[in-house]
Amino acid sequence: MKKLTIIAIAVMIGSLLVSGMPNYAGPTPVSATAANASDDQSAEQPIEQIGQADDSAEQPASTEEETAASEPVNAEAGRQAQSLSEGMEAAAENEHLILYVNEATTEIAVKDKRNGAIWYSNPQDREDDAIATGYNKSKLNVQVELSYYDSAGNSLKYDNYTHSIQNGQFVIEKADGGLNIVYTLGEVKSDIEAIPKYISEERFQNLIIGKIASDADKKEIEKRFKFNEETKQYERRDSSLKGVGLSKVTGIFKEIGYDEEQVAIDKAAYGDEGGGAASVVIPLHYRLDGEYLKVSIPAGGLEYPDTMKIQTLSLLPFFGASGMKDEGYTLVPDGSGSLIHFNNEKTYAAPYRAVMYGSDTAINQLMQIQKEESARLPVFGMKYDDRGFLGIIEQGDAASAIEADVSGRLNQYNTVYPSFTLNNMEEVTLSNGWRSSTVKKFQAQPFQSDIAVAYGFLAADEASYSGMAAHYRDFLTEKNAMAKLEEADSIPFYVELIGGIPKKKFFLGIPYNAYQPLTTFQQAEDILGQMKDMGVEGIQLRYTGWFNDGIKHNLPKSVSVDKKLGGAKGLRALQEYADNSGVGLYPDATFLEVYANAKGFKKSQASRLITNKLAAIYPYRISTFRQDDEADPGYVLSPGALPGIVDGFMKDYSKLGLSGLSLRDMGDKLNSDFNRTNVIDREEAKEIALEQMKQMSESVSDLMLEGGNAYAAPYARHIVDAPMTNSGFNITDESVPFFQLVYHGYVQYAGAAWNMADDQDSEINFLKALETGSAVHYTWFYADPSAIKMTEFDNLYSADYRRWIDEAAQQHVKLNGILHDVQNQVIKEHTKLAAGVYQTTFEKGKTIIVNYNEKAANVNGVTVGAKDYWVGGNAKP
């Protein structure tokens, strides 16, 4: 352990002189929080006479000169980023940013040299917070917080302020382009271990009290121990042994000759239970990297005892926090994107928390009450009147969650920050007759990968969710070498055709499993021909259920094209037709989850739950929301088995001469394997999936993905079932197309199939496509609809292509006439003009206003009819 710096020691002494400061010696218990509710409560404005769109984000930043760093300033001025708070000293600088640190509190600040805006890791007026009290007040000083379970199963918290800074247990080191801060949380073991955890009454009186000459010193020692009448022994009071108290006791023990040999005798007598509070080492690194502040915790740098089961690590929970007088909003990656307006007074709603990339199927979920939109993009941010910031989780995103809250609940600040799950946990109920108890089981090996978050800063003309999207897009372009789309004559028309499904049939009253073809390859060609005759161009055909016994296919370690659809010969003929007709063909396969009764699957290839049971997948009963454990389960494929499966699949697939491939789940789901002998966490699973997608992209020309998780998007030519709205949590105020703002012009995409969506209103779907630059998407089959009766696929009742093809063709032709010339352009700006009225502006000037309301709206003298749209500007000025 490195020695404390002189500054750190000064802080330890100084903190003891501060009167009224809460002194939390031990970990803090955790209180439970209710789950997010599902009602969307968007703020609304009147429709008539909207006038100019809100241009508050366009106001110039303040030009007031920043005062010298050494000059004291009032707290409110510091919050407005007009001057630097007292105690901040420059630690690093580049052409864009200056990094400051307060060596007494370890809080940092970043100055954006473009506009002089200063962003703080902690609120600068926190001492004036009239809402926060006790621990919540102290927490405003925190940069890192841990939630964990101790060996007794108690849920506790550690933070770097209460358990490190107040004790002076940290080291600050300047580094190239930034600084490193190493925190030690809990008492330093080398000091407290000099004091026995337990000691007999006889030894305490003879070896300690009897050898102390000063009555004051005797009282000092006696108040640091408590006597147990039943066991006749003294127990160390750990909560009183910190700072000066600890120093006094260790000094007295040294003076009377109570040394390591005596401590060893007492430990041997009562067991080695000493050591004080759990000691945790957290190395926090700050670096300036171009226009970004990079904040990281290196892999393996976090040190803590095995008995301490850290669940989550929260990083910079108050960075950029806004106050009750600020105006603006928080961006969270809920579905397509959500805004939480500052100070929206929704303290009755649960705070926002969403796990990145949706739920982990290898963590048992007995109930499924609410369907949520997955968080696809690992980003978050805040927009003030004249500035903003964007946080991007660069590393550790697969183990992360985004958390946000509004002022008025625990303190007077609106906050957003990332947290990282280091140890997943499941509860197991053990029964013995009429007795039962619940115990907690943790994953055998904790998360040990790098954690890194990049913070980018927005000037006045960028301070909006559109500006945040532009920054993230630039970040992805540089990191992943994303390239813009080439110009094309038509936008895509996405159509999913379902090949075959399993169906239970009867022979002489005896049930048996059969194969039911819904769309043969020849029938698919017929549908494509009809679409072409109707003027539909840019068709992208996703063909599901074409191999290994249909849509719920067997393990795809090999490929056997279903003969009832036309076999390999029929599939090749369909590919030839597609090539000659300008149609993209994407046969579909799923790899991450194995369907019930799939052939070729061995249970040794399945992921394990934390309890070491097989990670089975059961359907949920609509009536009870619980798993139907009487049904045949599917299984989560272990990420460790994925490379072998993909190798076998691609070896056979390459022989078919196909140019495209659709991945049903590899861009949509992400699962762990908690096998005790070799835990594969989500971050490791992500890297395995990325390697497989890279291999696939080298074998086929184009990949189509479902969902669009950020790590997979760079390999995608097309994304279907992309998020088009948010989950509607109570705490959020409105949905925004942040996902589309990021990817438009680089990846082509569509939302859920129009005929399978909850709302099948073609007018609404058309307006949403215009607003978000999305394409038409339908799911169809050719067979008579009676073919799906009495099957598990009766939800496809609306997929008969005959009901939709005419309307679909008309909608595509109309949509293509508006969007074909902007499909390779980014969406420059998206704005809400009023409730139900939105404006989308493309890169070269084309502007579209959509009105979802039942009543016409007037915008800048232009009337937009009810459920109608208006197009202006030029695509190519």
Side-chain angles (χ1 to χ4, degrees), residues 231-249:
T231 61
K232 300 298 181 182
Q233 68 185 30
Y234 284 85
E235 180 181 353
R236 186 178 69 206
R237 297 180 185 270
D238 288 351
S239 61
S240 69
L241 289 167
K242 61 180 296 183
V244 173
L246 177 61
S247 299
K248 283 184 178 180
V249 173

Side-chain angles (χ1 to χ4, degrees), residues 511-523:
Y512 68 96
N513 294 323
Y515 180 93
Q516 176 67 54
L518 295 183
T519 312
T520 67
F521 299 132
Q522 182 58 55
Q523 290 168 345

Side-chain angles (χ1 to χ4, degrees), residues 174-205:
K174 297 291 177 67
D176 185 26
L179 56 89
N180 301 333
I181 306 177
V182 179
Y183 299 101
T184 299
L185 280 64
E187 300 298 347
V188 179
K189 290 186 177 181
S190 59
D191 290 340
I192 202 168
E193 283 185 344
I195 305 169
K197 178 69 175 175
Y198 300 98
I199 183 172
S200 68
E201 180 181 16
E202 179 183 359
R203 285 176 59 81
F204 183 80
Q205 295 296 337

Side-chain angles (χ1 to χ4, degrees), residues 14 27 29 86 115 141 162 251 324 409 448 515 585 617 714 796 805 844-845 859:
E86 186 177 7
N115 57 5
N141 301 285
T162 309
M324 301 187 78
R409 189 193 311 274
Q448 293 180 330
Y515 180 93
L585 175 59
I617 304 172
L796 298 175
I805 189 169
K844 294 184 178 180
V859 184

